[in-house]
Amino acid sequence: MTDDPPLNPALLPAGFVDVLPPAAEAEADGLESLMRVFAAHGYDRVSPPLLEFEETLLTGSGAAVAEQTFRVMDPDTRRMMALRPDMTPQIARIAATRLARRPRPLRLSYAGACVMMGSPSRETDRQILQAGIELIGPDTPVADAEIVALGAEGLKVLGVPNVSFDLTMPPLTTALLAGGTFTPATRSALLRALDRKDAAAVARYGGALAPILTELLYAAGPARRALEVLSRVSLPPAARAQSDRLAATVATIEERVPGIRLTVDPVEFRGWQYHTGVCVTVYALGRQEELGRGGRYRSNDDEPACGLTLRPDTILRVAPPRESRTRVFVPWGTEPEVAQDLRTQGYATVAALGEMAIPVAEAQRLGCAFIVSRGKLKPVRNVGKID
Amino acid sequence: MTDDPPLNPALLPAGFVDVLPPAAEAEADGLESLMRVFAAHGYDRVSPPLLEFEETLLTGSGAAVAEQTFRVMDPDTRRMMALRPDMTPQIARIAATRLARRPRPLRLSYAGACVMMGSPSRETDRQILQAGIELIGPDTPVADAEIVALGAEGLKVLGVPNVSFDLTMPPLTTALLAGGTFTPATRSALLRALDRKDAAAVARYGGALAPILTELLYAAGPARRALEVLSRVSLPPAARAQSDRLAATVATIEERVPGIRLTVDPVEFRGWQYHTGVCVTVYALGRQEELGRGGRYRSNDDEPACGLTLRPDTILRVAPPRESRTRVFVPWGTEPEVAQDLRTQGYATVAALGEMAIPVAEAQRLGCAFIVSRGKLKPVRNVGKID
């Protein structure tokens, strides 16, 4: 066995990063801004732990990410613990256990870091930040709309421009296909074709449903147009019910958030394994990265729930940069009240730690925009030489 | 092999907890209040990842907690990664690598969760929250005092009463013992005696130093009295230098934070493995739990540094409870602007998700203190029935 060469001490595992100034403060402030929006709408914050027993974390809605989860052994019980790849199963657990007796609708919010294994071939973050809400109890378009509206409000507070909310209704496809008669092989070929948006393959495997499925495939786009197509194609009753619910949700969202950009993809279902109703993916136009996602599902104990998880780290790459505090150099011997007063006004004071020959040179070296001189602020030239 | 019985889904591994409303919001707000104090004094926030290669995380000052650290394998590089039990080694790493070229003094702040293995016999938290600062570059009493003063300001902002800052000077004991002639066995017996504050054993193993050590042992207490004893005992030059530095730091802290409660234990050294100067432990009087700890050490690349790590979770068990947002029930059909205005005023609005027969009953059921009625707030009786 040979020793590994010593690591460069600055090297981090792929997908893990040091967030440096000023991004780290911007990220924390952005996250808390989102949480304040949620709190103002009566969403109570819960904070589950980073690790849980894998049995409780990776069951139910957590099963979908089990393969992406780091595990360690609890030396106490010798049971395996999992490092959470997602907080939503934890919120569902809390709602069904410790908060089972709180009145419904139960509105919960949460924020924290999650860790997933990732794959070496894809350059993805392995530690991500989540900030989200869950609305547990009601199963109505108004509840769906509240979740989307709060997401929109949070992104607006952070100044994110050109946000699009892309809606899907995964059970609609299921209900549609239940109306056809397919062999298992044809059914799975058809699902694969829909997933890839391969119109030729949809025509080939769709049988009697091919014309409808093809039309719905092409209907993906602005919500009104998609709903118009859905309203005039012939659907079996179960699929019609899903379509009506989707239309009601869209109408409620548009009423609540005038001008919101909504799209609908009627036959999209990929990535929504455990969802039972309207789902949403949030994008900034022109960007590939998701800003968030959510949807309707059955929580533990089969309770109706819908939620939205935003990604503050991704959002802040899209949001306009925030103003950092202006730095003021405070020379040795300045009255403490002067510096205190500046901090109250929102400045960051950088205190001299001793007498300096040329305080303004030190102010400049430390990247301060101002220096306190005789109790007043004096600008410092050549600011911004800090690397 | 038999199957384990199914776990109670509410069960978490020992030492891990769900933080519920209203504690989770109080904790997050308290943490951000501390970070705002640090930012106002020019401490720039950095946010290192939860996991690093164990080689980079557990060297230097990180070695002290290596045995308490959970590890997982990075499937990408097949190297071991460690889940951080402490953030301070990460800050030292960042200062010495990515921020090596930033001008000194370098002031950094950080906040986040840490995880340690714990021991089954002791009922301790295994996930803790840290919020701290590091002042890298200078090695002066003024730098030491800034760290303590910022800790005091942070705790004051959170309203924590009766805080005591307990100072120690671990290298003083080392310097003192270097002045005696001890066999290795006697020396370690003497250290053990000092550690346990066993005056009889100190007298037995202390040799010529026994009278001084005994006097210093009994001198532990209010800073002025301890320093008075230190000033009049006879110390070898190296120990006298440490004692003078301690006295200068105490004087600087007292000047900067009038009325601060400082104690000094001159021969305490336990738990300060890598410290090279004044160390501090922060307590709330009458409580056993530490609110924070810090001190002077050599950072990576042997750079002088001092820091303080506060424990927001512990602090908030001692701080006065904060006011939660007042909850207002907003009946179906209320103008959106009315609810928006209430949120701007700091209320949490709880929206009805549909028409209700008796809205005030719903308001009461959901724990709202007020209900909106004809655009105005009306108090709801029997508030607080929420569990």
Side-chain angles (χ1 to χ4, degrees):
Chain A
M1 187 179 157
T2 56
D3 283 343
D4 287 322
L7 281 181
N8 175 344
L11 188 68
L12 292 174
F16 293 93
V17 297
D18 292 320
V19 189
L20 298 182
E25 190 178 345
E27 191 174 273
D29 284 358
L31 184 145
E32 291 305 325
S33 295
L34 290 174
M35 298 308 286
R36 273 193 297 276
V37 168
F38 302 155
H41 286 272
Y43 283 74
D44 286 327
R45 188 159 178 164
V46 293
S47 181
L50 287 168
L51 294 163
E52 286 191 21
F53 289 123
E54 63 172 342
E55 277 177 82
T56 61
L57 189 65
L58 302 177
T59 50
S61 58
V65 285
E67 284 177 15
Q68 276 297 318
T69 303
F70 283 110
R71 290 166 178 82
V72 292
M73 196 182 71
D74 176 13
D76 185 1
T77 58
R78 312 274 169 104
R79 288 183 187 264
M80 291 309 284
M81 301 192 296
L83 192 51
R84 66 180 180 208
D86 181 12
M87 293 179 76
T88 43
Q90 298 188 296
I91 312 305
R93 173 182 59 73
I94 290 173
T97 56
R98 302 203 44 196
L99 302 183
R101 293 171 57 195
R102 294 250 179 148
R104 268 55 175 163
L106 179 65
R107 292 172 163 99
L108 298 177
S109 68
Y110 58 92
C114 298
V115 176
M116 58 203 71
M117 266 190 205
S119 63
S121 55
R122 291 172 59 198
E123 286 193 14
T124 50
D125 294 331
R126 293 202 281 177
Q127 177 175 332
I128 63 160
L129 209 47
Q130 292 188 331
I133 45 176
E134 298 292 326
L135 176 48
I136 296 150
D139 181 0
T140 64
V142 176
D144 295 336
E146 177 165 302
I147 291 294
V148 172
L150 260 65
E153 186 176 334
L155 292 166
K156 194 175 164 193
V157 164
L158 296 183
V160 182
N162 302 322
V163 177
S164 176
F165 291 83
D166 296 0
L167 303 180
T168 58
M169 191 71 172
L172 172 56
T173 304
T174 315
L176 249 174
L177 267 56
T181 48
F182 300 105
T183 65
T186 312
R187 189 174 189 279
S188 76
L190 180 56
L191 283 172
R192 216 165 32 243
L194 286 169
D195 182 17
R196 294 192 203 141
K197 309 215 173 291
D198 178 347
V202 167
R204 181 155 60 245
Y205 299 114
L209 289 174
I212 292 177
L213 287 171
T214 306
E215 198 163 2
L216 293 180
L217 200 61
Y218 285 115
R224 296 223 169 155
R225 186 169 62 98
L227 290 181
E228 190 272 317
V229 174
L230 266 175
S231 73
R232 66 177 160 70
V233 297
S234 163
L235 296 176
R240 175 55 65 202
Q242 298 291 351
S243 170
D244 288 349
R245 172 63 182 269
L246 174 61
T249 297
V250 166
T252 312
I253 295 171
E254 288 184 333
E255 194 192 330
R256 180 152 176 183
V257 190
I260 191 171
R261 197 185 312 253
L262 287 182
T263 74
V264 165
D265 189 339
V267 286
E268 168 75 40
F269 59 90
R270 187 172 49 147
W272 305 106
Q273 292 97 327
Y274 60 90
H275 290 79
T276 59
V278 176
C279 293
V280 60
T281 314
V282 191
Y283 285 100
L285 288 185
R287 297 276 192 148
Q288 291 298 319
E289 285 180 304
E290 281 181 21
L291 305 183
R293 58 160 52 211
R296 173 159 296 284
Y297 61 100
R298 292 274 164 173
S299 183
N300 301 20
D301 297 343
D302 207 34
E303 198 175 9
C306 58
L308 179 71
T309 306
L310 295 175
R311 289 275 311 271
D313 39 11
T314 310
I315 291 168
L316 288 158
R317 287 198 283 267
V318 178
R322 63 194 264 294
E323 294 268 314
S324 294
R325 284 165 196 260
T326 304
R327 295 161 72 90
V328 178
F329 187 73
V330 180
W332 186 249
T334 303
E335 287 295 315
E337 293 73 23
V338 173
Q340 175 56 51
D341 192 44
L342 288 167
R343 288 191 293 274
T344 307
Q345 290 173 52
Y347 292 100
T349 59
V350 177
L353 296 173
E355 203 77 63
M356 305 268 161
I358 311 172
V360 73
E362 182 70 358
Q364 197 176 35
R365 194 177 70 81
L366 294 179
C368 294
F370 294 95
I371 183 170
V372 176
S373 174
R374 297 178 199 181
K376 298 231 165 92
L377 287 190
K378 225 175 83 175
V380 173
R381 297 196 185 184
N382 295 328
V383 174
K385 288 184 71 181
I386 220 162
D387 71 323
Chain B
M1 189 178 157
T2 55
D3 283 343
D4 287 323
L7 280 181
N8 173 346
L11 188 69
L12 292 173
F16 293 93
V17 297
D18 291 320
V19 189
L20 298 181
E25 190 179 347
E27 191 174 274
D29 284 358
L31 185 145
E32 291 305 325
S33 295
L34 289 175
M35 298 309 285
R36 274 194 297 276
V37 168
F38 302 155
H41 286 272
Y43 283 73
D44 287 328
R45 189 160 178 163
V46 293
S47 180
L50 287 168
L51 293 162
E52 288 192 19
F53 289 124
E54 63 173 341
E55 278 177 81
T56 62
L57 189 66
L58 303 178
T59 51
S61 58
V65 285
E67 285 176 15
Q68 276 298 317
T69 304
F70 283 109
R71 290 166 177 81
V72 292
M73 197 181 71
D74 176 13
D76 185 0
T77 58
R78 311 274 170 106
R79 286 183 189 265
M80 292 308 285
M81 302 192 295
L83 190 50
R84 67 182 179 207
D86 180 14
M87 294 179 76
T88 43
Q90 299 188 296
I91 311 306
R93 172 182 61 71
I94 290 173
T97 57
R98 304 201 45 197
L99 301 182
R101 293 171 58 198
R102 295 252 177 141
R104 268 53 176 167
L106 180 65
R107 290 171 164 99
L108 299 176
S109 67
Y110 58 93
C114 298
V115 177
M116 57 204 72
M117 265 190 208
S119 63
S121 54
R122 289 173 58 196
E123 285 192 16
T124 50
D125 294 333
R126 293 202 281 179
Q127 178 175 335
I128 62 160
L129 207 48
Q130 292 188 331
I133 45 177
E134 298 290 326
L135 176 48
I136 296 150
D139 181 359
T140 63
V142 176
D144 296 334
E146 177 165 302
I147 292 292
V148 172
L150 260 66
E153 186 176 334
L155 292 168
K156 195 176 162 188
V157 163
L158 296 183
V160 181
N162 302 322
V163 177
S164 177
F165 291 82
D166 296 358
L167 304 180
T168 58
M169 191 69 173
L172 171 57
T173 304
T174 315
L176 249 176
L177 267 55
T181 47
F182 299 104
T183 64
T186 311
R187 190 174 188 280
S188 76
L190 180 56
L191 283 172
R192 219 167 28 245
L194 286 169
D195 184 14
R196 292 192 206 143
K197 308 215 175 291
D198 177 347
V202 169
R204 182 157 59 244
Y205 299 113
L209 290 173
I212 293 177
L213 288 172
T214 304
E215 198 163 2
L216 293 180
L217 201 61
Y218 285 116
R224 295 222 169 154
R225 186 168 64 100
L227 290 180
E228 189 271 319
V229 174
L230 267 175
S231 74
R232 66 177 159 72
V233 296
S234 165
L235 296 175
R240 175 55 65 201
Q242 297 290 352
S243 168
D244 288 350
R245 172 61 182 271
L246 175 62
T249 297
V250 167
T252 312
I253 296 170
E254 287 185 331
E255 195 191 329
R256 183 155 173 181
V257 191
I260 191 172
R261 199 186 309 253
L262 288 181
T263 73
V264 166
D265 188 340
V267 286
E268 169 76 41
F269 59 90
R270 189 172 48 149
W272 304 104
Q273 291 97 329
Y274 60 90
H275 290 80
T276 60
V278 176
C279 293
V280 61
T281 314
V282 190
Y283 284 100
L285 289 186
R287 297 276 194 150
Q288 292 297 320
E289 286 180 305
E290 281 182 22
L291 304 182
R293 59 160 50 210
R296 174 160 294 286
Y297 62 99
R298 293 275 165 173
S299 182
N300 301 19
D301 297 342
D302 207 34
E303 199 176 7
C306 56
L308 179 71
T309 306
L310 295 176
R311 288 274 312 271
D313 39 12
T314 309
I315 291 168
L316 288 157
R317 287 198 282 266
V318 178
R322 63 194 262 295
E323 294 271 311
S324 293
R325 285 165 196 260
T326 304
R327 294 162 74 90
V328 177
F329 187 73
V330 180
W332 186 250
T334 303
E335 288 295 315
E337 294 73 22
V338 173
Q340 175 57 51
D341 192 44
L342 288 168
R343 288 191 292 274
T344 308
Q345 291 173 48
Y347 291 100
T349 60
V350 176
L353 296 172
E355 202 79 63
M356 305 271 159
I358 312 172
V360 72
E362 183 71 357
Q364 195 175 35
R365 196 178 69 82
L366 295 178
C368 295
F370 294 95
I371 184 169
V372 176
S373 173
R374 298 177 198 181
K376 299 231 167 91
L377 288 191
K378 223 176 84 177
V380 173
R381 298 199 184 184
N382 293 333
V383 174
K385 287 185 74 181
I386 218 161
D387 71 323

